[in-house]
Amino acid sequence: MRRYFSINTYFLVFSFIIVMAILTWIIPGGSYQFEEKNGRKVVIPNSFQRVERNPQGIFAILTAPIKGFSDSNVSLIIGFVLIIGGVFSVLQKTGAIDALIRFMASQVRKKPILDHFFIPIFMIIFSTAGATFGMSEEVIPFVLLFIPLALSLGYDTVVGVSIPFIGAGAGFASAFMNPFTVGIAQQISDLPLFSGFIYRVFCWLVITAVAIAFVIRYANKVRKEPYRSITFLLDEERRKALSLNELEGSEKLALKHKLVGIVFLAGIAIMIFGVLKYGWYIDKITAVFLAIGIAGAIVGGLKINDFTSSFVAGAKDLVGTALIIVMARGILYVAQDGRIIDTILHGATSIIKGFHPYITAVLMFITQSVINFFVPSGSAKAALTMPLMAPLADLSGLSRQVAVLAYQFGDGFSNMIVPTSAVTMTVLTSAQIPFEKWVGIVWKLQIWFFITGLILLLPPVLTGW
């Protein structure tokens, strides 16, 4: 049996805070000016200027985690995570989740052909969600659902995480109508909304296929040799806790379990409608999931004390995840207070100038990937980088569509591994997967994605798309 040394995740994230503080002593301070455009603050090209360096010391390092709580978006995500934990604990208490998992596992065992379509079908669904309404934080509850489902089919926790997380991430990176990335980037670049649709759909198909192939390859390996999984011991404990090996009597679902399932699906449908139609953000989405928990408890026959105790227990299980989120946000506070983010962006855009158009497109892709560590929010990154990348594309003989495509790839691919992403760290800590072990698996996927991105950038450069 393989043994794995694991770095404590809290220690690792805190180490990133220290490294960022050290960088503020090395990288000069700099700042861009911003202007209001279509209700959004965007950077003014050619407005960069050197400012006094503001190196961050011990006190800044120690206050970084608590500053993470002061960010309004982080506070919303923390509340979302805790409520999601509570809701899933309530649904688990009704017995509906276990019953559904056993039912699906028994159907797959009766019809082995379904096993071949399990990963592709669900990853395509999540990729479509990422490509259309920018599924990001919404993936968290599905991770909690797909882990036991994957275990019941002989896979491991990593597969359970990968189906929704990598699936949605692939769609997010190759989005063809995501209003929060493509929409904002094209708006800032003065391009028609969702223009270039056909080629972006082609990119989505290719990148989704790459993601599916990677996950299937990994899934087949750990099913054949379970001890090779980094979560092998954890998976054994989870299987025992969920009694996933006891599938007898699971051919039918009880009425209350069906009703809980209907409530859950109806809630998801309402959430998707609200996001697409009204642009709902985390607060509204959280309200939907809370309603799912309450309605699920009612139709599932839970008493008030059972509901509250299971809800609190579920939320408590994700407190550690909340701490990781604020610490990850602390990394960005140190970089912002140290005035180095704009300097890094200015340096990167300065290097890009003067190359062959295709090389320029590749350097844009790489620059966006680097900036993603400091600004993991796709919409914020578009406001920061696209006012610089769009005119840079004009000077380099590139279409602005290519600059947007390079932004998409740089923003989306690395989202799955940057420790400053609240979603990434939430997914990993809730699944109990050490960050460095996750990176040790998906770095190969990142290479696959990078090569695919390089290839997909070439046709539009050659054709002037």
Side-chain angles (χ1 to χ4, degrees):
M1 184 184 301
R2 295 174 64 179
R3 296 286 182 177
Y4 294 90
F5 170 74
S6 178
I7 301 174
N8 183 280
T9 303
Y10 301 94
F11 172 78
L12 183 65
V13 176
F14 193 73
S15 297
F16 279 119
I17 295 176
I18 296 173
V19 170
M20 192 62 68
I22 293 173
L23 289 178
T24 64
W25 290 82
I26 300 172
I27 300 174
S31 177
Y32 279 104
Q33 295 179 12
F34 291 80
E35 64 179 350
E36 195 82 15
K37 185 176 182 179
N38 297 320
R40 184 177 297 275
K41 286 181 63 177
V42 299
V43 69
I44 301 176
N46 302 318
S47 66
F48 179 81
Q49 57 185 0
R50 296 289 185 189
V51 298
E52 184 179 352
R53 192 195 305 267
N54 187 33
Q56 302 295 287
I58 298 295
F59 193 70
I61 292 172
L62 296 176
T63 57
I66 193 66
K67 284 184 177 180
F69 279 103
S70 65
D71 187 289
S72 58
N73 285 334
V74 170
S75 299
L76 284 174
I77 292 175
I78 290 173
F80 175 67
V81 167
L82 296 179
I83 289 177
I84 287 297
V87 168
F88 264 80
S89 181
V90 169
L91 298 181
Q92 187 88 33
K93 186 72 173 178
T94 66
I97 292 179
D98 289 356
L100 177 62
I101 290 169
R102 293 193 182 95
F103 174 77
M104 292 185 67
S106 68
Q107 296 305 304
V108 171
R109 293 193 179 189
K110 286 194 330 185
K111 302 174 183 177
I113 192 172
L114 296 176
D115 193 25
H116 299 294
F117 296 100
F118 173 72
I119 292 176
I121 288 176
F122 280 110
M123 288 193 68
I124 289 171
I125 292 173
F126 285 111
S127 182
T128 302
T132 52
F133 67 88
M135 175 178 258
S136 183
E137 291 87 357
E138 299 90 344
V139 83
I140 295 171
F142 291 100
V143 168
L144 300 177
L145 178 62
F146 270 80
I147 288 175
L149 184 55
L151 292 176
S152 70
L153 297 176
Y155 301 119
D156 69 346
T157 293
V158 174
V159 174
V161 169
S162 298
I163 292 172
F165 184 49
I166 292 180
F172 195 94
S174 56
F176 44 83
M177 56 179 295
N178 179 357
F180 305 108
T181 56
V182 178
I184 293 175
Q186 288 186 327
Q187 182 184 48
I188 293 173
S189 302
D190 295 321
L191 293 169
L193 185 63
F194 301 137
S195 53
F197 181 82
I198 295 177
Y199 189 71
R200 284 194 168 81
V201 170
F202 173 74
C203 292
W204 172 73
L205 290 171
V206 172
I207 290 171
T208 301
V210 168
I212 291 172
F214 176 85
V215 174
I216 289 177
R217 182 172 178 268
Y218 173 84
N220 290 337
K221 181 181 72 174
V222 296
R223 175 182 269 182
K224 187 176 181 180
E225 300 176 293
Y227 62 88
R228 293 175 63 87
S229 170
I230 63 170
T231 58
F232 176 71
L233 297 178
L234 175 63
D235 294 341
E236 291 297 295
E237 293 176 3
R238 281 177 166 160
R239 285 192 178 95
K240 291 178 181 177
L242 296 170
S243 302
L244 291 178
N245 293 320
E246 301 173 7
L247 296 173
E248 292 79 14
S250 57
E251 300 297 322
K252 297 181 180 180
L253 292 172
L255 176 60
K256 71 172 185 178
H257 296 153
K258 292 179 181 178
L259 292 175
V260 172
I262 292 172
V263 166
F264 181 80
L265 292 176
I268 296 300
I270 292 171
M271 178 197 74
I272 293 173
F273 176 78
V275 171
L276 292 175
K277 179 72 175 178
Y278 301 108
W280 284 358
Y281 192 49
I282 299 176
D283 52 348
K284 302 292 193 307
I285 295 171
T286 303
V288 172
F289 274 100
L290 185 56
I292 290 173
I294 295 172
I298 294 173
V299 299
L302 293 187
K303 297 179 180 179
I304 293 178
N305 287 340
D306 291 332
F307 171 81
T308 54
S309 61
S310 58
F311 187 93
V312 171
K316 183 175 65 175
D317 289 341
L318 292 182
V319 168
T321 300
L323 293 176
I324 289 292
I325 294 172
V326 298
M327 290 176 67
R329 188 63 183 87
I331 300 173
L332 303 183
Y333 267 106
V334 171
Q336 290 172 355
D337 294 344
R339 303 169 185 169
I340 64 173
I341 295 179
D342 288 2
T343 302
I344 294 171
L345 177 60
H346 174 70
T349 53
S350 299
I351 293 173
I352 291 174
K353 296 177 181 177
F355 287 95
H356 182 276
Y358 177 67
I359 301 300
T360 299
V362 171
L363 291 175
M364 284 182 174
F365 174 20
I366 295 173
T367 297
Q368 295 286 7
S369 300
V370 173
I371 295 299
N372 198 40
F373 180 92
F374 300 92
V375 188
S377 167
S379 55
K381 186 159 48 274
L384 179 64
T385 63
M386 291 315 299
L388 303 175
M389 296 297 178
L392 186 58
D394 297 339
L395 294 173
S396 304
L398 280 174
S399 163
R400 292 191 172 195
Q401 295 283 15
V402 176
V404 173
L405 195 62
Y407 150 77
Q408 287 182 244
F409 293 165
D411 171 55
F413 294 154
S414 57
N415 266 344
M416 304 174 199
I417 59 170
V418 291
T420 49
S421 167
V423 175
T424 298
M425 299 310 291
T426 298
V427 166
L428 297 182
T429 52
S430 60
Q432 299 181 48
I433 299 177
F435 173 77
E436 76 282 0
K437 297 302 180 185
W438 171 258
V439 174
I441 293 174
V442 299
W443 70 268
K444 294 180 182 178
L445 175 61
Q446 290 296 310
I447 293 177
W448 289 18
F449 277 153
F450 184 74
I451 294 173
T452 302
L454 295 181
I455 295 172
L456 291 174
L457 284 172
L458 185 58
V461 172
L462 295 178
T463 60
W465 170 74

